[in-house]
C-alpha cells in the first residue's frame, strides 16, 4: 500500500506532541460561574435537579467567591430569588433587593471578582414571565423601562457588567441609554442576543423558581428551528450597543456560535445551560459515561466552535482539573 508523504499520526505519538499542536485551549479565565442567591442567613441548599449546584444566602457569597478565585475563576453571574414577587417585577430594581445586596457583599469581600448580573424579570414576577403582562401578553415596550431601571440599579450597587436575558426587542438600546445617562458608560452589556425557547432550561427554572404560570415564552424567545433569525437578532444588539453576544443554550446550538464567530468581531459567550449540565451529571452518576472527560470535551467543543467565554455550572469542576494540571 502506498501512503501519502504526510501521516497525521506522526504528531499524535505522545501527550507532548499532541499538546504542541493543540489548536484550542481551555482555561479558567474563560469560565463564568452562575450563582443562585436566596434570602436568609447561613443557607446553602443543593438544587435537586442540578447535583453539585447550590442556592446560597448573601452572607455565604464571600466564601463562595473566594473558593472560585482560588481555583482561578474570576467571573460570576448572579441570579436572585426574592422574598416577594409582584405582577410588574418591581423587586428586580429595588436598591435593597437580593441581587443588589449580593453585589455589594461580593464587592466588599472579594473586590477582585468580576460580577455580572442577569437582567430579567422572570424571577421577580408572580406570573413567571420575563416582562409585564397586558391583555394576557408580555408587553414589550412597558417592560423595557423596568429592565433599564434594573440594569441601572445593578450598576449603582457595583456590578461590573449587566446581561439582559429577557429577549425584549430594543432592550439593549434602552439599557445602554439609561447607563450612559447616569454616568455608567463604562459598564459593558453582555447581551443574551440569541436565546432560544429551549427545553433545556428545566432545572434552571426549578433553581430560580421562575417557571411561567401560564403559557410559554415562545412569543419572545427564539424558535429552535431558526438560524438566519439568530443573525438578525445579533445584528440588532450590535447596532444597539452590545459589547458581548451570547448564545443560549450552547451545545445544541454550536452551529449558531460558529456563525456568530464568523459574522461578528465582538466577543462571543456561550451559556452551557442547566439541562445540558444535568444530562452529563445524570449519565455520570449512572456510570454510563466518564463525567469529567465528557465535561471537558463539551466545554472544549464550545471553545472550538468560537466561544470566547463559557457560562457553565461545571466551572468549579473544570477549574479544579485545570489547576491540578499546572
Amino acid at each position: 500500500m502506498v501512503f501519502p508523504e504526510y501521516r497525521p499520526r506522526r504528531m499524535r505519538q505522545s501527550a507532548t506532541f499532541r499538546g504542541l499542536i493543540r489548536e484550542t485551549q481551555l482555561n479558567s479565565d474563560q469560565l463564568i460561574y452562575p450563582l443562585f442567591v436566596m434570602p436568609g442567613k447561613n443557607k446553602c441548599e443543593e438544587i435537586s435537579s442540578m447535583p453539585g449546584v447550590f442556592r446560597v444566602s448573601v452572607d455565604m457569597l464571600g466564601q463562595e467567591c473566594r473558593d472560585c478565585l482560588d481555583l482561578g475563576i474570576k467571573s460570576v453571574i448572579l441570579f436572585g430569588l426574592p422574598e416577594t414577587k409582584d405582577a410588574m417585577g418591581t423587586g428586580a430594581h429595588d436598591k435593597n433587593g437580593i441581587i443588589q445586596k449580593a453585589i455589594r457583599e461580593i464587592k466588599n469581600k472579594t473586590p477582585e471578582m468580576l460580577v455580572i448580573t442577569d437582567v430579567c424579570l422572570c424571577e421577580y414576577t408572580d406570573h413567571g414571565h420575563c416582562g409585564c403582562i397586558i391583555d394576557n401578553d408580555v408587553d414589550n415596550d412597558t417592560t423595557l423601562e423596568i429592565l433599564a431601571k434594573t440594569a441601572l440599579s445593578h450598576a449603582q450597587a457595583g456590578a461590573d457588567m449587566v446581561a439582559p436575558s429577557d429577549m425584549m426587542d430594543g432592550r439593549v438600546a434602552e439599557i445602554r441609554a439609561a447607563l450612559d445617562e447616569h454616568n455608567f458608560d463604562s459598564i459593558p452589556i453582555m447581551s443574551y442576543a440569541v436565546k432560544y425557547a429551549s427545553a433545556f432550561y428545566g432545572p434552571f427554572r426549578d433553581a430560580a423558581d421562575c417557571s411561567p404560570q401560564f403559557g410559554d415564552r415562545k412569543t419572545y424567545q427564539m424558535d429552535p428551528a431558526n438560524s438566519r433569525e439568530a443573525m438578525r437578532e445579533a445584528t440588532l444588539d450590535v447596532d444597539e450597543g452590545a459589547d458581548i453576544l451570547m448564545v443560549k443554550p450552547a451545545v445544541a446550538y454550536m452551529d449558531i456560535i460558529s456563525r456568530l464567530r464568523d459574522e461578528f468581531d465582538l466577543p462571543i459567550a456561550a451559556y452551557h445551560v442547566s439541562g445540558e449540565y444535568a444530562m452529563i451529571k445524570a449519565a455520570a452518576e449512572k456510570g454510563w459515561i466518564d463525567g469529567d472527560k465528557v465535561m471537558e470535551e463539551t466545554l472544549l467543543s464550545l471553545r472550538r466552535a468560537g466561544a470566547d467565554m463559557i457560562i457553565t455550572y461545571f466551572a468549579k469542576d473544570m477549574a479544579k482539573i485545570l489547576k491540578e494540571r499546572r
Side-chain angles (χ1 to χ4, degrees), residues 33-38 43-57 64 77-81 123 200-211 271 273-275 277-279 281-282 285 312-314:
Y33 188 49
L35 289 173
F36 294 97
V37 190
M38 64 186 301
K43 287 189 175 182
C44 183
E45 298 177 354
E46 187 170 28
I47 300 161
S48 60
S49 56
M50 299 171 69
V53 179
F54 298 82
R55 303 182 193 92
V56 298
S57 52
E64 188 72 36
I77 184 166
L78 302 181
F79 300 92
L81 286 83
E123 296 141 65
F200 285 100
Y201 302 148
F204 175 91
R205 291 176 182 174
D206 290 340
D209 187 26
C210 62
S211 296
Y271 199 139
V273 300
S274 59
Y277 169 90
M279 289 191 300
K281 278 288 189 178
E285 287 179 2
T312 176
Y313 304 98
F314 278 124

